[in-house]
Amino acid sequence: HVQLVESGGGSVQAGGSLRLSCALSGYKATRYYMYCMGWFRQVPGKEREGVAAISTDGRRIYYADPVKGRFTVSRDNAKNTLLLQMNSLKPEDTATYYCAARKMWGSGGLNVNAYNVWGRGTQVTVS
């Protein structure tokens, strides 16, 4: 079955940068290009929220308002990898960040219910 593994989280001072990666593996990983992908985040006591999403063909990209202009999402289909470059980080960006996927043409956008494959998350702490 398909699995997602996030990496790149950590602690950083406000104004700093981090780069998150999400690797898709599994017997269908060679068809990574068929998955739309997204990044979500969650803090304890709050609902999971969409951060950024990218369509299957990479042509449609969505960002949540709080991260526009600071975060950049991209995908490398040759490496089955989803990336999230986070710049100008703020304390309010502190959260567990999750990678999500769904095998479909198009995009699930920032709708958490549109995705059916999830990673375990990586912690980002901004102080």
Side-chain angles (χ1 to χ4, degrees):
H1 62 282
V2 174
Q3 292 183 321
L4 298 173
V5 179
E6 303 95 337
S7 62
S11 297
V12 65
Q13 291 187 338
S17 299
L18 284 173
R19 190 185 196 195
L20 304 184
S21 296
C22 172
L24 185 148
S25 63
Y27 79 101
K28 292 184 177 179
T30 54
R31 297 187 177 181
Y32 172 70
Y33 64 90
M34 296 177 68
Y35 290 82
C36 63
M37 308 290 294
W39 285 102
F40 294 79
R41 66 186 182 186
Q42 189 171 23
V43 297
K46 293 188 177 181
E47 293 185 351
R48 192 168 296 187
E49 63 178 10
V51 175
I54 188 166
S55 63
T56 314
D57 61 4
R59 294 182 179 183
R60 282 177 284 169
I61 292 177
Y62 307 88
Y63 293 104
D65 286 344
V67 308
K68 285 181 179 177
R70 299 189 297 121
F71 290 12
T72 302
V73 64
S74 61
R75 63 188 296 160
D76 185 339
N77 287 352
K79 297 181 179 180
N80 294 351
T81 301
L82 179 72
L83 301 173
L84 184 68
Q85 179 66 43
M86 305 186 295
N87 298 327
S88 302
L89 283 162
K90 304 176 181 180
E92 50 263 46
D93 294 318
T94 296
T96 300
Y97 283 71
Y98 297 89
C99 175
R102 185 182 183 98
K103 188 179 180 182
M104 60 173 279
W105 183 255
S107 176
L110 300 178
N111 181 2
V112 65
N113 296 315
Y115 299 87
N116 58 1
V117 183
W118 292 86
R120 293 187 175 184
T122 183
Q123 179 67 34
V124 171
T125 303
V126 185
S127 60

